[in-house]
Amino acid sequence: MKISSEPSVGGELWEMLPVGPRRALAQAAASEFGKRGYHATTTRHIAEHVGMSPAGLYVHYASKAELLFTISRIGHESVLSESSAALEGISSPDERVHALVRSFTIWHAVNHNLARVIQYELRSLEPKHYQVIAAIRRSTEALAAEVFRPLFRDAESLSMHTVAILSLGIDVARWYVPGRSPDPIVLGEAYAKLARNLLRA
Amino acid sequence: MKISSEPSVGGELWEMLPVGPRRALAQAAASEFGKRGYHATTTRHIAEHVGMSPAGLYVHYASKAELLFTISRIGHESVLSESSAALEGISSPDERVHALVRSFTIWHAVNHNLARVIQYELRSLEPKHYQVIAAIRRSTEALAAEVFRPLFRDAESLSMHTVAILSLGIDVARWYVPGRSPDPIVLGEAYAKLARNLLRA
DNA sequence: GCGCTTACTAAGCGCTTGCTTACCTTGCAT
DNA sequence: ATGCAAGGTAAGCAAGCGCTTAGTAAGCGC
């Protein structure tokens, strides 16, 4: 049943936005926010990135905050859906751990710029936006905990190991440098093995 | 020889600054930068935090950037010295790994606010300041690699495992919440065991 | 007592910020 | 042909920013 659509490592990230200025602005904002941080990035930076006047941005987005929200939502939904997709058809607990960690790590390596935004700019979201994002994050964490649960007895130990393994993937966004760091797929495979070592207590 | 001075978990962090407004301002800035981020924090926030007028800050620091540099340097030097101190008198490779990870993790949990600044505001440093900070970071990473080296054959594997284990400690700064998260010492002990599991390949 | 340094404040300057306004095209249904 | 919505620009506004200036008050050596 996986003939027509392979996982294809982060291809259709921006597909939920129409081709055109709305998508281009979101991509530009993701790039700039990821490089400089939300508060250090000006609307003029973003506009210039797409070759538009500063005012042109407001034809497509109501505010800089809405741009951050859009980006953050797309990123979080992508992580969740790719993690979920990676588990499809896999039933062995060990293999499920492997598939999840591998997918999660690869996502943060391939999309390290966007990952920085969604992981480190949560506090820059407006309260109403944050609530929406937080809900998606809870789903992702719940999915991970569900995958790791078969390997644990007590909830406390499960919780700590879940946090630790997600930490490994998330922190990739902080240190990953395209040229100097390992290939995403190599890294994902290595981290998946690391996680399985970590989980045999 | 350890009669008078125990490690004492992050006690003398600010002692290199004289008691008084200079120290108070640094602590206030660390607190505000950690909470809101460097670029979202204004000099008025910091001044208000110590009950001073916005202009009073500039009697003790030349700029907001110098405040960030001072904080970052103190934090990085503290991590390095505490990590180094934790290894004193320990010769068994396994125990050295345990001591380092334990100390590193505890530091990031106890000082999670300052840790956020030193780990996530590197790009906010001015180029000249960054060079100084980067040198300290290289020392810390070298220390960690030295501790892990006895357990590895090839340099590539050592490098990846070093990054991964430091990731665990650093990412504590991102998610740690004083009331809801484990006690720093408990967490440090747990993560040290995690790291030893991780390192038996 | 005097002069000088140190620590601080009130006021505000120059600049940048996010965003708005007024206007100008272009494409297209009627 | 024409009316009009959609997408863009030039100019600029109000607010907030880091930081400076001018002045005050207290402490201290002599």
Side-chain angles (χ1 to χ4, degrees):
Chain A
M1 288 306 181
K2 50 169 64 179
I3 298 174
S4 59
S5 74
E6 293 180 275
S8 84
V9 182
E12 63 283 353
L13 230 171
W14 304 100
E15 267 184 14
M16 64 192 321
L17 293 176
V19 184
R22 203 173 149 79
R23 185 189 292 188
L25 281 165
Q27 290 172 323
S31 168
E32 298 291 326
F33 290 164
K35 196 193 312 175
R36 259 179 294 239
Y38 176 74
H39 287 289
T41 302
T42 70
T43 54
R44 285 163 178 83
H45 285 140
I46 300 167
E48 196 175 3
H49 193 290
V50 299
M52 199 179 265
S53 79
L57 192 152
Y58 293 91
V59 173
H60 307 282
Y61 291 92
S63 64
K64 185 184 166 189
E66 196 205 305
L67 253 173
L68 175 62
F69 175 53
T70 302
I71 290 167
S72 191
R73 204 187 51 218
I74 288 175
H76 278 94
E77 282 170 356
S78 172
V79 171
L80 178 55
S81 71
E82 289 227 17
S83 299
S84 190
L87 296 170
E88 259 175 43
I90 304 178
S91 55
S92 147
D94 259 22
E95 286 179 24
R96 286 174 67 84
V97 168
H98 188 95
L100 181 78
V101 175
R102 188 185 118 96
S103 163
F104 193 77
T105 302
I106 290 176
W107 193 94
H108 282 79
V110 170
N111 307 106
H112 57 274
N113 226 4
L114 175 58
R116 272 200 269 269
V117 179
I118 78 168
Q119 299 296 356
Y120 301 128
E121 297 287 1
L122 289 170
R123 62 184 167 190
S124 303
L125 288 163
E126 293 184 351
K128 277 212 166 183
H129 292 157
Y130 176 76
Q131 286 180 25
V132 178
I133 299 297
I136 308 176
R137 290 182 72 86
R138 279 192 294 273
S139 298
T140 306
E141 281 156 30
L143 178 69
E146 218 44 58
V147 169
F148 300 150
R149 191 182 309 280
L151 307 181
F152 291 96
R153 295 173 167 272
D154 59 309
E156 203 173 336
S157 185
L158 167 63
S159 168
M160 199 198 64
H161 284 78
T162 302
V163 167
I165 290 177
L166 292 185
S167 273
L168 285 178
I170 289 171
D171 199 60
V172 167
R174 183 184 57 84
W175 57 261
Y176 198 86
V177 182
R180 268 178 17 218
S181 301
D183 178 79
I185 295 178
V186 173
L187 184 69
E189 204 66 52
Y191 266 34
K193 282 176 191 161
L194 238 66
R196 290 170 80 175
N197 276 351
L198 224 162
L199 288 175
R200 24 167 234 202
Chain B
M1 285 308 181
K2 51 170 64 178
I3 298 174
S4 58
S5 73
E6 292 181 275
S8 83
V9 184
E12 63 282 354
L13 230 171
W14 304 100
E15 269 183 12
M16 64 194 320
L17 294 176
V19 185
R22 204 172 150 79
R23 184 187 293 188
L25 280 165
Q27 291 172 323
S31 168
E32 297 292 326
F33 290 164
K35 197 194 310 174
R36 258 180 294 238
Y38 176 74
H39 287 289
T41 302
T42 71
T43 54
R44 286 163 178 83
H45 285 138
I46 300 167
E48 195 176 2
H49 192 289
V50 299
M52 201 180 263
S53 81
L57 192 153
Y58 293 91
V59 174
H60 306 283
Y61 291 92
S63 64
K64 185 185 166 190
E66 196 205 304
L67 253 173
L68 175 62
F69 176 51
T70 302
I71 289 165
S72 193
R73 205 187 50 217
I74 288 175
H76 278 94
E77 283 172 354
S78 172
V79 171
L80 178 54
S81 72
E82 289 225 16
S83 299
S84 190
L87 296 169
E88 258 175 41
I90 304 178
S91 55
S92 149
D94 259 23
E95 286 179 23
R96 284 173 69 83
V97 168
H98 188 96
L100 181 78
V101 175
R102 187 187 119 98
S103 162
F104 193 77
T105 303
I106 290 176
W107 193 95
H108 282 79
V110 169
N111 306 106
H112 58 275
N113 226 5
L114 176 57
R116 272 200 268 269
V117 178
I118 77 168
Q119 301 295 356
Y120 301 127
E121 298 287 2
L122 288 171
R123 62 185 167 189
S124 303
L125 288 164
E126 295 186 349
K128 279 212 162 183
H129 292 158
Y130 176 76
Q131 286 181 26
V132 178
I133 298 298
I136 309 176
R137 289 181 74 84
R138 280 193 294 272
S139 298
T140 306
E141 281 157 31
L143 179 69
E146 220 42 59
V147 168
F148 300 149
R149 192 182 307 279
L151 307 180
F152 291 95
R153 295 173 167 274
D154 60 308
E156 204 172 334
S157 184
L158 167 63
S159 169
M160 200 198 66
H161 284 78
T162 302
V163 167
I165 290 177
L166 291 185
S167 273
L168 285 177
I170 289 171
D171 199 59
V172 167
R174 184 184 56 85
W175 56 260
Y176 198 86
V177 182
R180 268 178 18 216
S181 301
D183 178 80
I185 296 179
V186 173
L187 184 69
E189 204 66 51
Y191 266 34
K193 283 177 191 161
L194 238 66
R196 292 171 78 174
N197 275 351
L198 223 161
L199 288 176
R200 20 167 238 200

PDB file of all heavy atoms in Angstrom, chain A residues 44 52-53 55-56 59-60, chain D residues 7-13:
ATOM      1  N   ARG A  44      11.054  44.061   7.620  1.00  0.00           N
ATOM      2  CA  ARG A  44      11.812  44.483   6.439  1.00  0.00           C
ATOM      3  C   ARG A  44      12.771  43.384   5.973  1.00  0.00           C
ATOM      4  O   ARG A  44      12.990  43.201   4.774  1.00  0.00           O
ATOM      5  CB  ARG A  44      12.562  45.779   6.744  1.00  0.00           C
ATOM      6  CG  ARG A  44      11.657  47.013   6.775  1.00  0.00           C
ATOM      7  CD  ARG A  44      12.322  48.187   7.481  1.00  0.00           C
ATOM      8  NE  ARG A  44      11.483  49.397   7.470  1.00  0.00           N
ATOM      9  CZ  ARG A  44      10.512  49.631   8.350  1.00  0.00           C
ATOM     10  NH1 ARG A  44      10.254  48.740   9.296  1.00  0.00           N
ATOM     11  NH2 ARG A  44       9.800  50.743   8.280  1.00  0.00           N
ATOM     12  N   MET A  52      10.188  42.092  -1.902  1.00  0.00           N
ATOM     13  CA  MET A  52       8.908  42.791  -1.807  1.00  0.00           C
ATOM     14  C   MET A  52       9.111  44.039  -0.944  1.00  0.00           C
ATOM     15  O   MET A  52      10.054  44.101  -0.165  1.00  0.00           O
ATOM     16  CB  MET A  52       7.906  41.834  -1.148  1.00  0.00           C
ATOM     17  CG  MET A  52       6.445  42.157  -1.348  1.00  0.00           C
ATOM     18  SD  MET A  52       5.408  40.910  -0.540  1.00  0.00           S
ATOM     19  CE  MET A  52       5.055  39.789  -1.877  1.00  0.00           C
ATOM     20  N   SER A  53       8.245  44.999  -1.078  1.00  0.00           N
ATOM     21  CA  SER A  53       8.330  46.164  -0.201  1.00  0.00           C
ATOM     22  C   SER A  53       7.810  45.778   1.194  1.00  0.00           C
ATOM     23  O   SER A  53       6.995  44.864   1.315  1.00  0.00           O
ATOM     24  CB  SER A  53       7.511  47.308  -0.752  1.00  0.00           C
ATOM     25  OG  SER A  53       6.144  47.107  -0.473  1.00  0.00           O
ATOM     26  N   ALA A  55       5.624  46.911   3.025  1.00  0.00           N
ATOM     27  CA  ALA A  55       4.167  46.949   3.170  1.00  0.00           C
ATOM     28  C   ALA A  55       3.482  45.759   2.498  1.00  0.00           C
ATOM     29  O   ALA A  55       2.385  45.360   2.894  1.00  0.00           O
ATOM     30  CB  ALA A  55       3.632  48.253   2.594  1.00  0.00           C
ATOM     31  N   GLY A  56       4.146  45.191   1.504  1.00  0.00           N
ATOM     32  CA  GLY A  56       3.554  44.084   0.756  1.00  0.00           C
ATOM     33  C   GLY A  56       3.239  42.877   1.611  1.00  0.00           C
ATOM     34  O   GLY A  56       2.303  42.113   1.335  1.00  0.00           O
ATOM     35  N   VAL A  59      -0.343  42.460   2.917  1.00  0.00           N
ATOM     36  CA  VAL A  59      -1.407  42.038   2.017  1.00  0.00           C
ATOM     37  C   VAL A  59      -1.764  40.579   2.306  1.00  0.00           C
ATOM     38  O   VAL A  59      -2.917  40.169   2.200  1.00  0.00           O
ATOM     39  CB  VAL A  59      -0.979  42.198   0.545  1.00  0.00           C
ATOM     40  CG1 VAL A  59      -2.015  41.614  -0.390  1.00  0.00           C
ATOM     41  CG2 VAL A  59      -0.716  43.665   0.240  1.00  0.00           C
ATOM     42  N   HIS A  60      -0.742  39.804   2.762  1.00  0.00           N
ATOM     43  CA  HIS A  60      -0.917  38.355   2.917  1.00  0.00           C
ATOM     44  C   HIS A  60      -0.963  37.880   4.360  1.00  0.00           C
ATOM     45  O   HIS A  60      -1.485  36.804   4.642  1.00  0.00           O
ATOM     46  CB  HIS A  60       0.197  37.637   2.160  1.00  0.00           C
ATOM     47  CG  HIS A  60       0.329  38.067   0.734  1.00  0.00           C
ATOM     48  ND1 HIS A  60      -0.525  37.615  -0.248  1.00  0.00           N
ATOM     49  CD2 HIS A  60       1.165  38.934   0.114  1.00  0.00           C
ATOM     50  CE1 HIS A  60      -0.203  38.169  -1.411  1.00  0.00           C
ATOM     51  NE2 HIS A  60       0.823  38.977  -1.219  1.00  0.00           N
TER      52      HIS A  60
ATOM     53  P    DG D   7      -4.596  38.652  -4.183  1.00  0.00           P
ATOM     54  OP1  DG D   7      -4.115  37.294  -4.474  1.00  0.00           O
ATOM     55  OP2  DG D   7      -5.044  39.041  -2.825  1.00  0.00           O
ATOM     56  O5'  DG D   7      -3.465  39.673  -4.642  1.00  0.00           O
ATOM     57  C5'  DG D   7      -2.907  39.559  -5.934  1.00  0.00           C
ATOM     58  C4'  DG D   7      -1.800  40.573  -6.088  1.00  0.00           C
ATOM     59  O4'  DG D   7      -2.388  41.903  -6.135  1.00  0.00           O
ATOM     60  C3'  DG D   7      -0.804  40.599  -4.926  1.00  0.00           C
ATOM     61  O3'  DG D   7       0.508  40.778  -5.442  1.00  0.00           O
ATOM     62  C2'  DG D   7      -1.241  41.799  -4.108  1.00  0.00           C
ATOM     63  C1'  DG D   7      -1.722  42.732  -5.205  1.00  0.00           C
ATOM     64  N9   DG D   7      -2.646  43.772  -4.770  1.00  0.00           N
ATOM     65  C8   DG D   7      -3.644  43.666  -3.834  1.00  0.00           C
ATOM     66  N7   DG D   7      -4.312  44.784  -3.658  1.00  0.00           N
ATOM     67  C5   DG D   7      -3.714  45.673  -4.540  1.00  0.00           C
ATOM     68  C6   DG D   7      -4.007  47.041  -4.798  1.00  0.00           C
ATOM     69  O6   DG D   7      -4.873  47.753  -4.291  1.00  0.00           O
ATOM     70  N1   DG D   7      -3.161  47.568  -5.777  1.00  0.00           N
ATOM     71  C2   DG D   7      -2.167  46.863  -6.412  1.00  0.00           C
ATOM     72  N2   DG D   7      -1.443  47.520  -7.316  1.00  0.00           N
ATOM     73  N3   DG D   7      -1.878  45.579  -6.164  1.00  0.00           N
ATOM     74  C4   DG D   7      -2.692  45.060  -5.233  1.00  0.00           C
ATOM     75  P    DG D   8       1.790  40.459  -4.490  1.00  0.00           P
ATOM     76  OP1  DG D   8       2.736  39.619  -5.259  1.00  0.00           O
ATOM     77  OP2  DG D   8       1.307  39.981  -3.175  1.00  0.00           O
ATOM     78  O5'  DG D   8       2.415  41.903  -4.286  1.00  0.00           O
ATOM     79  C5'  DG D   8       3.072  42.483  -5.401  1.00  0.00           C
ATOM     80  C4'  DG D   8       2.898  43.974  -5.397  1.00  0.00           C
ATOM     81  O4'  DG D   8       1.550  44.361  -5.089  1.00  0.00           O
ATOM     82  C3'  DG D   8       3.690  44.740  -4.341  1.00  0.00           C
ATOM     83  O3'  DG D   8       5.034  44.907  -4.764  1.00  0.00           O
ATOM     84  C2'  DG D   8       2.955  46.079  -4.314  1.00  0.00           C
ATOM     85  C1'  DG D   8       1.574  45.760  -4.877  1.00  0.00           C
ATOM     86  N9   DG D   8       0.489  46.152  -3.995  1.00  0.00           N
ATOM     87  C8   DG D   8      -0.238  45.371  -3.142  1.00  0.00           C
ATOM     88  N7   DG D   8      -1.171  46.023  -2.498  1.00  0.00           N
ATOM     89  C5   DG D   8      -1.044  47.328  -2.951  1.00  0.00           C
ATOM     90  C6   DG D   8      -1.777  48.495  -2.628  1.00  0.00           C
ATOM     91  O6   DG D   8      -2.729  48.611  -1.822  1.00  0.00           O
ATOM     92  N1   DG D   8      -1.322  49.611  -3.324  1.00  0.00           N
ATOM     93  C2   DG D   8      -0.288  49.593  -4.220  1.00  0.00           C
ATOM     94  N2   DG D   8       0.019  50.754  -4.798  1.00  0.00           N
ATOM     95  N3   DG D   8       0.397  48.507  -4.559  1.00  0.00           N
ATOM     96  C4   DG D   8      -0.023  47.419  -3.884  1.00  0.00           C
ATOM     97  P    DT D   9       6.079  45.570  -3.764  1.00  0.00           P
ATOM     98  OP1  DT D   9       7.405  45.199  -4.260  1.00  0.00           O
ATOM     99  OP2  DT D   9       5.690  45.223  -2.390  1.00  0.00           O
ATOM    100  O5'  DT D   9       5.860  47.129  -3.963  1.00  0.00           O
ATOM    101  C5'  DT D   9       5.875  47.703  -5.273  1.00  0.00           C
ATOM    102  C4'  DT D   9       5.699  49.198  -5.155  1.00  0.00           C
ATOM    103  O4'  DT D   9       4.360  49.489  -4.677  1.00  0.00           O
ATOM    104  C3'  DT D   9       6.666  49.858  -4.180  1.00  0.00           C
ATOM    105  O3'  DT D   9       7.299  50.963  -4.798  1.00  0.00           O
ATOM    106  C2'  DT D   9       5.792  50.256  -2.988  1.00  0.00           C
ATOM    107  C1'  DT D   9       4.417  50.421  -3.617  1.00  0.00           C
ATOM    108  N1   DT D   9       3.303  50.116  -2.674  1.00  0.00           N
ATOM    109  C2   DT D   9       2.426  51.104  -2.297  1.00  0.00           C
ATOM    110  O2   DT D   9       2.508  52.260  -2.685  1.00  0.00           O
ATOM    111  N3   DT D   9       1.438  50.712  -1.430  1.00  0.00           N
ATOM    112  C4   DT D   9       1.231  49.454  -0.920  1.00  0.00           C
ATOM    113  O4   DT D   9       0.313  49.208  -0.143  1.00  0.00           O
ATOM    114  C5   DT D   9       2.189  48.452  -1.352  1.00  0.00           C
ATOM    115  C7   DT D   9       2.070  47.035  -0.849  1.00  0.00           C
ATOM    116  C6   DT D   9       3.167  48.825  -2.199  1.00  0.00           C
ATOM    117  P    DA D  10       8.603  51.602  -4.159  1.00  0.00           P
ATOM    118  OP1  DA D  10       9.547  51.851  -5.267  1.00  0.00           O
ATOM    119  OP2  DA D  10       9.008  50.802  -2.991  1.00  0.00           O
ATOM    120  O5'  DA D  10       8.064  53.009  -3.616  1.00  0.00           O
ATOM    121  C5'  DA D  10       7.164  53.763  -4.419  1.00  0.00           C
ATOM    122  C4'  DA D  10       6.812  55.053  -3.712  1.00  0.00           C
ATOM    123  O4'  DA D  10       5.686  54.820  -2.822  1.00  0.00           O
ATOM    124  C3'  DA D  10       7.901  55.654  -2.847  1.00  0.00           C
ATOM    125  O3'  DA D  10       7.816  57.069  -2.913  1.00  0.00           O
ATOM    126  C2'  DA D  10       7.583  55.105  -1.446  1.00  0.00           C
ATOM    127  C1'  DA D  10       6.062  55.030  -1.465  1.00  0.00           C
ATOM    128  N9   DA D  10       5.494  53.914  -0.700  1.00  0.00           N
ATOM    129  C8   DA D  10       6.002  52.653  -0.558  1.00  0.00           C
ATOM    130  N7   DA D  10       5.257  51.852   0.174  1.00  0.00           N
ATOM    131  C5   DA D  10       4.181  52.642   0.534  1.00  0.00           C
ATOM    132  C6   DA D  10       3.033  52.375   1.309  1.00  0.00           C
ATOM    133  N6   DA D  10       2.779  51.190   1.879  1.00  0.00           N
ATOM    134  N1   DA D  10       2.144  53.384   1.475  1.00  0.00           N
ATOM    135  C2   DA D  10       2.398  54.571   0.904  1.00  0.00           C
ATOM    136  N3   DA D  10       3.442  54.934   0.157  1.00  0.00           N
ATOM    137  C4   DA D  10       4.308  53.909   0.013  1.00  0.00           C
ATOM    138  P    DA D  11       8.826  58.038  -2.122  1.00  0.00           P
ATOM    139  OP1  DA D  11       8.944  59.260  -2.946  1.00  0.00           O
ATOM    140  OP2  DA D  11      10.012  57.267  -1.751  1.00  0.00           O
ATOM    141  O5'  DA D  11       8.023  58.404  -0.795  1.00  0.00           O
ATOM    142  C5'  DA D  11       6.666  58.842  -0.910  1.00  0.00           C
ATOM    143  C4'  DA D  11       6.032  58.921   0.465  1.00  0.00           C
ATOM    144  O4'  DA D  11       5.636  57.599   0.893  1.00  0.00           O
ATOM    145  C3'  DA D  11       6.943  59.477   1.569  1.00  0.00           C
ATOM    146  O3'  DA D  11       6.354  60.647   2.093  1.00  0.00           O
ATOM    147  C2'  DA D  11       7.055  58.337   2.584  1.00  0.00           C
ATOM    148  C1'  DA D  11       5.817  57.509   2.298  1.00  0.00           C
ATOM    149  N9   DA D  11       5.935  56.091   2.644  1.00  0.00           N
ATOM    150  C8   DA D  11       6.971  55.250   2.344  1.00  0.00           C
ATOM    151  N7   DA D  11       6.800  54.018   2.777  1.00  0.00           N
ATOM    152  C5   DA D  11       5.559  54.065   3.402  1.00  0.00           C
ATOM    153  C6   DA D  11       4.799  53.075   4.070  1.00  0.00           C
ATOM    154  N6   DA D  11       5.205  51.809   4.221  1.00  0.00           N
ATOM    155  N1   DA D  11       3.599  53.449   4.579  1.00  0.00           N
ATOM    156  C2   DA D  11       3.212  54.713   4.434  1.00  0.00           C
ATOM    157  N3   DA D  11       3.835  55.728   3.824  1.00  0.00           N
ATOM    158  C4   DA D  11       5.006  55.332   3.325  1.00  0.00           C
ATOM    159  P    DG D  12       7.044  61.515   3.299  1.00  0.00           P
ATOM    160  OP1  DG D  12       6.555  62.899   3.169  1.00  0.00           O
ATOM    161  OP2  DG D  12       8.491  61.223   3.325  1.00  0.00           O
ATOM    162  O5'  DG D  12       6.368  60.896   4.593  1.00  0.00           O
ATOM    163  C5'  DG D  12       4.945  60.698   4.599  1.00  0.00           C
ATOM    164  C4'  DG D  12       4.565  59.893   5.815  1.00  0.00           C
ATOM    165  O4'  DG D  12       4.869  58.490   5.609  1.00  0.00           O
ATOM    166  C3'  DG D  12       5.345  60.293   7.090  1.00  0.00           C
ATOM    167  O3'  DG D  12       4.443  60.337   8.155  1.00  0.00           O
ATOM    168  C2'  DG D  12       6.303  59.124   7.275  1.00  0.00           C
ATOM    169  C1'  DG D  12       5.383  58.004   6.815  1.00  0.00           C
ATOM    170  N9   DG D  12       6.030  56.722   6.621  1.00  0.00           N
ATOM    171  C8   DG D  12       7.240  56.474   6.006  1.00  0.00           C
ATOM    172  N7   DG D  12       7.568  55.207   6.020  1.00  0.00           N
ATOM    173  C5   DG D  12       6.523  54.593   6.683  1.00  0.00           C
ATOM    174  C6   DG D  12       6.330  53.230   7.010  1.00  0.00           C
ATOM    175  O6   DG D  12       7.057  52.268   6.750  1.00  0.00           O
ATOM    176  N1   DG D  12       5.134  53.036   7.697  1.00  0.00           N
ATOM    177  C2   DG D  12       4.253  54.015   8.037  1.00  0.00           C
ATOM    178  N2   DG D  12       3.154  53.644   8.700  1.00  0.00           N
ATOM    179  N3   DG D  12       4.416  55.294   7.737  1.00  0.00           N
ATOM    180  C4   DG D  12       5.568  55.504   7.063  1.00  0.00           C
ATOM    181  P    DC D  13       4.520  61.618   9.214  1.00  0.00           P
ATOM    182  OP1  DC D  13       4.146  62.826   8.475  1.00  0.00           O
ATOM    183  OP2  DC D  13       5.805  61.544   9.941  1.00  0.00           O
ATOM    184  O5'  DC D  13       3.339  61.270  10.234  1.00  0.00           O
ATOM    185  C5'  DC D  13       2.255  60.446   9.790  1.00  0.00           C
ATOM    186  C4'  DC D  13       1.920  59.403  10.848  1.00  0.00           C
ATOM    187  O4'  DC D  13       2.581  58.145  10.526  1.00  0.00           O
ATOM    188  C3'  DC D  13       2.409  59.800  12.239  1.00  0.00           C
ATOM    189  O3'  DC D  13       1.392  59.528  13.188  1.00  0.00           O
ATOM    190  C2'  DC D  13       3.628  58.910  12.463  1.00  0.00           C
ATOM    191  C1'  DC D  13       3.242  57.660  11.679  1.00  0.00           C
ATOM    192  N1   DC D  13       4.435  56.866  11.219  1.00  0.00           N
ATOM    193  C2   DC D  13       4.498  55.499  11.513  1.00  0.00           C
ATOM    194  O2   DC D  13       3.580  54.970  12.135  1.00  0.00           O
ATOM    195  N3   DC D  13       5.586  54.799  11.101  1.00  0.00           N
ATOM    196  C4   DC D  13       6.569  55.403  10.426  1.00  0.00           C
ATOM    197  N4   DC D  13       7.616  54.683  10.041  1.00  0.00           N
ATOM    198  C5   DC D  13       6.517  56.799  10.123  1.00  0.00           C
ATOM    199  C6   DC D  13       5.442  57.489  10.535  1.00  0.00           C
TER     200       DC D  13
END
